[in-house]
Amino acid sequence: MAMWCSRTALRRLQQISVSQLKMAEGLASTSQREMSTLPRVYVTRQIPPEGLKVLRESGKVQFELWDSDDISVPRKELLQKVRGVDALLCVLTEKIDAELLDAAGPNLKVVSTMSVGFDHLSLDELKKRGIRVGYTPEVLTDSVAELTVALLLTTSRRLIEATHEAKTGGWGTWRTLWLCGYELANSTVGILGLGRIGVAIAERLAPFKVKKFIYTDVAPRPELASVINAEYVSFDQLAKESDFLAVCCALTPETKEICNKNLFSKMKNTSIFINTSRGGVVNQEDLYEALATGQIAAAGLDVTLPEPLPTTHPLFTLKNCVILPHIASASYTTRNAMSALAANNLLLGLQGKPMIKELKL
């Protein structure tokens, strides 16, 4: 009886399975037809999982992605993949210019970049074509500020040099001035380009007993400055007074190579220069000269031009220059938040709704 019941149950399960399979086939066919009418999206990188989850679970788009986090999509392939797409989710390594927009064609309505910077986007071309642009500011403020402080301390206290000496046998008897650096206590910290990140950096540095915060920008920013009690100064004053100078400005035609010989020549020979914005705001040849000749004490860079910076670049030969591979936003929390924001911007843009963070062109 038990065997009969088991066989009967099995047959019933098989009948149900066959029925379910037929139903599933019908649903799959319907789903395929529906999918073919959904907006097409191309994702230029294997973005963090939260962003892909948003796209998948929305049920509002069909998307294809370049499935690699190590290698950028080749330009030739990118130009082919964007043909006819309705939206593009990109990262800062992809140049979104007239050539690419022409290749995409008139269906392209939205470009969503997983970045706070937008110097890789041809804004005039996007505006001309009426293409909306989403980006990801604010969510990376904390991680960039933390990394900036870490880079500043690493550079000013010569930690990379010290680690090298400890590893390679340079650590001998105690010496009075060996590997001496510069303290934040009683110092003046200058900020070039005061935005949320600049404020967040100052908030983290304040407990180190910094004496004074100063900043310069295209115009005074009293609301932000009041948060950190920062004083607005001229560009020349910023150079002359800063013991530590943090560059936080966006890369624009006006700020391109703004940190050059003119700036470095006015800085103290004990000053520390930190850049976590964009490599293009610095004239790297002038920076090399300033560091090599002792015009300034040291520099810490998270960004360079180009990226990656060739290992043969003269800046790598200097002990007083610390270079990181553009990792300011590289925390799991921040990168997932950036990818989710980029995905949501894209979906909202395709629906004609206000994006969470839209770049007004």
Side-chain angles (χ1 to χ4, degrees):
M1 179 68 72
M3 184 178 293
W4 181 87
C5 290
S6 297
R7 287 176 179 171
T8 303
L10 179 59
R11 281 198 299 274
R12 286 175 179 170
L13 286 171
Q14 288 170 335
Q15 289 168 355
I16 292 169
S17 296
V18 169
S19 175
Q20 286 177 336
L21 181 60
K22 288 179 179 177
M23 186 182 298
E25 286 174 348
L27 289 171
S29 177
T30 303
S31 177
Q32 286 171 355
R33 285 196 300 273
E34 290 175 349
M35 182 66 75
S36 66
T37 65
L38 291 175
R40 287 180 54 221
V41 174
Y42 187 67
V43 183
T44 69
R45 187 63 65 93
Q46 186 189 73
I47 61 173
E50 287 301 315
L52 293 177
K53 182 180 177 184
V54 168
L55 293 178
R56 285 196 184 99
E57 294 185 355
S58 73
K60 297 181 184 302
V61 294
Q62 52 178 320
F63 70 92
E64 182 182 358
L65 79 160
W66 173 253
D67 198 12
S68 173
D69 192 33
D70 298 319
I71 303 168
S72 300
V73 55
R75 180 72 175 182
K76 185 177 179 181
E77 178 154 354
L78 178 60
L79 292 174
Q80 292 174 342
K81 292 293 185 181
V82 299
R83 288 177 183 170
V85 299
D86 298 280
L88 182 66
L89 197 161
C90 66
V91 297
L92 52 80
T93 53
E94 276 69 67
K95 189 73 175 172
I96 310 303
D97 55 11
E99 180 189 35
L100 183 137
L101 298 174
D102 286 341
N107 284 352
L108 185 62
K109 303 174 188 68
V110 176
V111 170
S112 181
T113 180
M114 189 183 132
S115 66
V116 63
F118 42 83
D119 47 284
H120 58 300
L121 308 178
S122 296
L123 300 183
D124 289 343
E125 291 292 337
L126 289 159
K127 182 178 180 179
K128 186 167 68 176
R129 290 167 165 83
I131 296 170
R132 296 174 66 186
V133 177
Y135 69 136
T136 60
E138 298 179 27
V139 293
L140 46 63
T141 297
D142 288 334
S143 60
V144 173
E146 288 177 7
L147 190 281
T148 303
V149 173
L151 183 56
L152 188 155
L153 290 170
T154 297
T155 304
S156 64
R157 296 305 301 271
R158 302 171 67 178
L159 300 188
I160 303 300
E161 288 180 73
T163 301
H164 177 76
E165 293 296 317
K167 283 182 177 179
T168 58
W171 185 1
T173 184
W174 186 85
R175 285 161 274 176
T176 57
L177 290 176
W178 186 54
L179 289 173
C180 281
Y182 298 93
E183 297 178 13
L184 277 159
N186 299 309
S187 68
T188 295
V189 173
I191 300 169
L192 177 56
L194 185 66
R196 289 183 179 86
I197 290 174
V199 169
I201 291 168
E203 288 175 330
R204 286 158 174 77
L205 292 178
F208 287 88
K209 300 180 181 178
V210 169
K211 180 176 67 177
K212 186 179 180 183
F213 290 105
I214 59 177
Y215 77 99
T216 196
D217 211 315
V218 291
R221 308 195 67 179
E223 287 187 13
L224 286 172
S226 65
V227 176
I228 55 173
N229 195 28
E231 177 188 347
Y232 178 77
V233 298
S234 68
F235 187 74
D236 282 356
Q237 250 184 296
L238 188 81
K240 291 173 183 176
E241 294 184 22
S242 297
D243 295 303
F244 299 89
L245 178 53
V247 182
C248 305
C249 61
L251 176 60
T252 65
E254 292 74 30
T255 62
K256 185 179 180 182
E257 296 193 358
I258 193 172
C259 300
N260 54 30
K261 189 174 183 177
N262 176 53
L263 174 76
F264 302 131
S265 66
K266 293 179 174 69
M267 292 174 68
K268 304 172 187 178
N269 61 10
T270 56
S271 292
I272 309 292
F273 176 83
I274 303 293
N275 184 20
T276 52
S277 60
R278 283 290 185 267
V281 304
V282 179
N283 182 308
Q284 290 175 169
E285 288 69 31
D286 289 353
L287 176 60
Y288 172 81
E289 286 300 317
L291 291 167
T293 61
Q295 198 167 58
I296 63 174
L301 311 174
D302 183 51
V303 287
T304 60
L305 190 67
E307 291 183 357
L309 191 66
T311 55
T312 54
H313 196 281
L315 283 171
F316 280 119
T317 67
L318 301 174
K319 289 184 178 181
N320 58 344
C321 186
V322 176
I323 301 173
L324 303 179
H326 202 152
I327 58 167
S329 65
S331 76
Y332 291 110
T333 300
T334 293
R335 291 288 173 84
N336 270 296
M338 289 173 70
S339 69
L341 177 53
N344 279 304
N345 282 338
L346 182 145
L347 293 172
L348 290 167
L350 281 173
Q351 295 171 65
K353 297 178 180 178
M355 294 182 185
I356 301 169
K357 291 296 174 184
E358 183 167 359
L359 193 61
K360 300 301 181 183
L361 302 180

